[in-house]
Amino acid sequence: KKGINIPEYCRLRNELEAEVMATGSNIYDIYRMLASRAGIKPEMAMIALKTELAVEKSILCCRKKMKEILSFAADCGKEVYLISDTYYPADTITEVLDRHGITQYSGMFLSSECKAVKTQDYFSILKSISEGKTCLYITASTEHNYCQDNGVDFFRIASPYDMLLMSSYRNLKYSMDSINERSMAGLLSAKLFNNPFALYKSDGRPEIDKVYDFGYAFVAPLLTKYVIWIIEEAKKGQYDNLLFAARDGYLTLKLYSFAVRQLGLKLPEGIYFQTSRILCTSSTVLEEEDIIWNANIPHANSPEQMLTERFNLDEKDIKPYDNNIYPDILTYALNHKDKIFKKSEEIRHNYLAYMRGIGLKENKRYAFVDFVSSGTCQQTLDKFICFDIEGLYFCKYYSNNEAKLQLPGYSLFENLCDDYIYCCYAYEKYLLLETIMTSFQPSLASMDEKGQPIYRKETRNDEEIQYVRDIHQAIEDYFYDYMSNLYIQGNDVNKHFVDIIFRFREKEYTNEKCSIFDKLVLTEDFGQWRMLLDRNY
């Protein structure tokens, strides 16, 4: 970021680490030698050293169960010593331990301090202070022979990455092609395998029983890729701004705004754009064909409610439905066409007032950011807006509608593929994602005369709202950590890599026990039907 270029830095840094570890020296020796080998000033080498230490401290996390075990041993009166083959000096290690509240130990034996270069050297030190007491060596290494030779009991604790390779997720290692993908695998491992006993009697399948953990492990990587993709499209698109369509865009805009600030990008800040299929279609009823198209879409409620919800008619303007008078719903709807046309014109006028109120201007060019769509909102908006919009979709599913096929836009995934070409798991399960990609307000019904939103009645219960809050929090925590500490611009995150991680939610990979998935329901706002999305969906 500072434009400092050290010739062959990565190669030299690795070579010097091996040399230093062989002599029990420390990281300061690495960088003193690096300044000489690379032909740079010592001051520049110290900047690199401080940067490495800062990165290391920012990404290290605590294995909570191991901290509990350490505290248990200390509380039982055991002497606990921390042992490490490391090039970090004691003050750096102590700072990290203090940050995570790890203080109940008697001392540390570090190769960088005591010049121990082999594991057996530690045991000679331990024997000298143990005075014949029994010792238990808890480690992630496999050097148990040294323990047996020195009469020390040995217990191996697998690292999170080793546990990943033991688990049902093991094949993920073959999909990691960039540092950004490896960092995602690291976050997954740190979350699910923080507890070294997480795979005990599990058949290699991690257990998840909290919605937060479900969102963090499986959904957050997918949305992180989506936002990174939006940023790349925004760089290419030369948009005057990005319209993040309600309600799917609520969370996406929060993540996008953070990333733009964090990465120091000169991109539009983004606008949360109030919209819905109901609002868009009811504001563009210009002829009888529009009424016919709208009324023909299946609806779960009564004919009277269909007119209220699809066309925003007031109850006083709706005639009671009578089978003896109206042979079908379509005839019934067309009998109200004058009221429908008048109401549509009113809504359209109010909607344009809303657009002016949020600063949208004529002849400008905006990205229309939506999650999964066939293009209905974009198509209907195009009929009356005075600016250009181009779709940016997580996934666009194509139907037999030539007009929608011609809409300008791009998508991360799309289902317009040959029958023998796999699209993605996320598209197959996008209805589950729809329960997550939402806001805490009900769906939008219309606009009032002041250009203010009119919402429908909330259909979600308290448990369903809390489910959204928990998963949003998990996604935000993941995203903010990843973009602040791990993401490196210019290195790709393959969309199929995050799609694989999302697939891990399946029961063949994960023992998922979140109670919400026993009865999770998605309400389809346009048709007002409710679908049960249990964990088998």
Side-chain angles (χ1 to χ4, degrees):
K1 288 180 179 178
K2 295 180 180 179
I4 296 174
N5 180 30
I6 300 174
E8 296 192 82
Y9 169 73
C10 292
R11 182 184 63 80
L12 288 173
R13 171 64 183 77
N14 281 330
E15 288 179 1
L16 292 170
E17 177 181 323
E19 293 181 25
V20 162
M21 292 299 290
T23 59
S25 299
N26 63 37
I27 193 170
Y28 289 90
D29 298 310
I30 291 176
Y31 279 93
R32 277 192 288 269
M33 296 165 66
L34 187 140
S36 175
R37 298 268 184 99
I40 61 174
K41 294 180 180 179
E43 294 81 7
M44 186 182 293
M46 285 304 102
I47 292 174
L49 178 138
K50 290 177 181 178
T51 302
E52 178 176 340
L53 290 177
V55 169
E56 188 78 18
K57 292 172 185 176
S58 72
I59 65 175
L60 283 171
C61 58
C62 174
R63 299 190 83 178
K64 297 176 183 177
K65 185 60 65 175
M66 295 309 299
K67 182 180 174 181
E68 289 178 21
I69 291 172
L70 186 152
S71 296
F72 173 78
D75 292 343
C76 288
K78 307 297 181 185
E79 288 186 67
V80 179
Y81 292 90
L82 306 183
I83 300 173
S84 180
D85 289 321
T86 180
Y87 44 76
Y88 290 125
D91 57 350
T92 300
I93 299 291
T94 301
E95 181 183 344
V96 171
L97 294 172
D98 288 346
R99 179 180 298 178
H100 293 286
I102 301 171
T103 58
Q104 290 180 276
Y105 55 92
S106 305
M108 293 189 295
F109 297 130
L110 308 177
S111 62
S112 58
E113 297 290 337
C114 59
K115 305 302 179 183
V117 297
K118 293 182 180 179
T119 305
Q120 57 261 44
D121 292 339
Y122 294 128
F123 294 121
S124 63
I125 297 172
L126 278 173
K127 287 179 71 174
S128 68
I129 64 170
S130 63
E131 299 178 353
K133 298 176 183 176
T134 57
C135 294
L136 171 64
Y137 184 42
I138 302 176
T139 177
S141 75
T142 56
E143 298 171 329
H144 59 279
N145 290 334
Y146 300 128
C147 298
Q148 294 173 350
D149 295 342
N150 288 273
V152 174
D153 289 331
F154 173 88
F155 190 87
R156 181 169 181 261
I157 292 291
S159 70
Y161 182 65
D162 285 342
M163 292 179 69
L164 176 73
L165 300 183
M166 297 176 198
S167 76
S168 53
Y169 302 175
R170 65 182 69 90
N171 288 336
L172 186 65
K173 70 177 181 178
Y174 300 115
S175 301
M176 292 184 278
D177 291 327
S178 74
I179 187 171
N180 286 334
E181 292 168 0
R182 291 194 294 274
S183 291
M184 284 185 165
L187 286 176
L188 180 71
S189 300
K191 168 58 67 176
L192 297 186
F193 306 120
N194 185 285
N195 181 349
F197 311 108
L199 294 177
Y200 180 64
K201 291 185 176 180
S202 69
D203 295 324
R205 296 161 57 240
E207 179 176 306
I208 286 186
D209 59 4
K210 296 181 178 61
V211 164
Y212 178 95
D213 293 343
F214 180 93
Y216 190 99
F218 306 132
V219 185
L222 195 67
L223 295 186
T224 298
K225 168 60 182 179
Y226 177 43
V227 173
I228 292 171
W229 176 80
I230 291 171
I231 288 172
E232 294 305 312
E233 292 300 315
K235 289 178 182 177
K236 296 184 292 186
Q238 299 296 305
Y239 303 113
D240 292 292
N241 216 326
L242 284 75
L243 308 181
F244 288 82
R247 296 179 288 173
D248 298 350
Y250 173 77
L251 176 61
T252 312
L253 175 57
K254 291 176 72 173
L255 303 181
Y256 168 84
S257 298
F258 177 85
V260 168
R261 293 194 305 271
Q262 182 65 34
L263 301 176
L265 302 174
K266 294 182 179 180
L267 290 174
E269 62 181 16
I271 298 172
Y272 187 57
F273 182 67
Q274 293 284 5
T275 194
S276 68
R277 281 181 296 170
I278 288 291
L279 175 57
C280 288
T281 56
S282 63
S283 62
T284 53
V285 183
L286 305 174
E287 51 191 5
E288 285 192 6
E289 284 72 15
D290 297 325
I291 298 176
I292 294 169
W293 178 85
N294 212 334
N296 271 334
I297 297 175
H299 195 277
N301 293 326
S302 68
E304 293 88 351
Q305 287 174 312
M306 184 273 291
L307 291 180
T308 299
E309 292 164 357
R310 284 282 169 82
F311 300 101
N312 270 292
L313 292 188
D314 298 326
E315 289 185 12
K316 63 182 178 59
D317 294 326
I318 298 175
K319 302 171 185 177
Y321 180 73
D322 189 333
N323 283 315
N324 296 320
I325 301 175
Y326 309 107
D328 51 45
I329 298 294
L330 184 55
T331 304
Y332 177 64
L334 288 172
N335 193 261
H336 293 78
K337 65 179 180 180
D338 292 339
K339 297 288 186 182
I340 291 173
F341 290 146
K342 182 179 179 180
K343 188 66 175 181
S344 181
E345 183 180 7
E346 175 189 319
I347 297 170
R348 190 161 59 251
H349 177 271
N350 295 344
Y351 203 6
L352 288 170
Y354 161 77
M355 294 178 195
R356 290 191 295 272
I358 62 172
L360 304 188
K361 301 185 184 300
E362 292 184 21
N363 303 317
K364 295 293 185 179
R365 186 165 178 266
Y366 301 98
F368 183 75
V369 184
D370 205 357
F371 194 61
V372 178
S373 174
S374 66
T376 300
C377 289
Q378 184 181 350
Q379 182 186 37
T380 51
L381 286 169
D382 262 344
K383 293 181 179 180
F384 69 95
I385 56 176
C386 54
F387 47 83
D388 294 328
I389 56 175
E390 187 170 82
L392 293 182
Y393 298 98
F394 174 81
C395 187
K396 187 170 183 181
Y397 61 88
Y398 293 90
S399 57
N400 294 323
N401 185 314
E402 188 61 31
K404 288 182 179 180
L405 287 172
Q406 299 305 317
L407 290 171
Y410 304 93
S411 58
L412 181 60
F413 296 102
E414 59 184 36
N415 72 326
L416 191 62
C417 299
D418 185 275
D419 290 340
Y420 299 100
I421 299 176
Y422 174 71
C423 175
C424 70
Y425 177 80
Y427 172 69
E428 293 177 3
K429 306 297 180 181
Y430 80 86
L431 291 178
L432 172 63
L433 295 171
E434 292 277 14
T435 68
I436 297 166
M437 300 303 294
T438 184
S439 71
F440 302 105
Q441 293 174 319
S443 180
L444 189 64
S446 188
M447 289 283 175
D448 66 17
E449 63 277 3
K450 296 180 180 179
Q452 295 300 310
I454 298 173
Y455 297 103
R456 302 173 80 164
K457 183 180 179 181
E458 181 60 79
T459 60
R460 297 168 295 182
N461 60 36
D462 290 344
E463 183 183 15
E464 289 167 334
I465 294 289
Q466 189 59 48
Y467 154 78
V468 176
R469 291 189 188 282
D470 290 342
I471 290 196
H472 278 208
Q473 189 62 61
I475 293 168
E476 289 179 50
D477 290 347
Y478 179 104
F479 188 83
Y480 298 160
D481 184 16
Y482 184 78
M483 300 306 292
S484 299
N485 298 311
L486 299 169
Y487 178 68
I488 296 177
Q489 295 187 67
N491 289 267
D492 189 32
V493 175
N494 190 291
K495 62 184 180 181
H496 296 295
F497 177 77
V498 295
D499 195 53
I500 289 169
I501 293 177
F502 183 49
R503 182 184 283 274
F504 285 157
R505 65 173 279 267
E506 293 280 348
K507 59 185 179 182
E508 65 180 289
Y509 301 105
T510 303
N511 185 16
E512 179 267 301
K513 295 182 177 180
C514 302
S515 59
I516 188 71
F517 295 121
D518 293 333
K519 53 186 181 302
L520 183 64
V521 172
L522 172 67
T523 299
E524 203 285 330
D525 292 331
F526 201 55
Q528 285 295 289
W529 45 263
R530 289 169 65 82
M531 174 183 286
L532 177 65
L533 301 178
D534 62 17
R535 62 176 45 85
N536 294 318
Y537 159 73

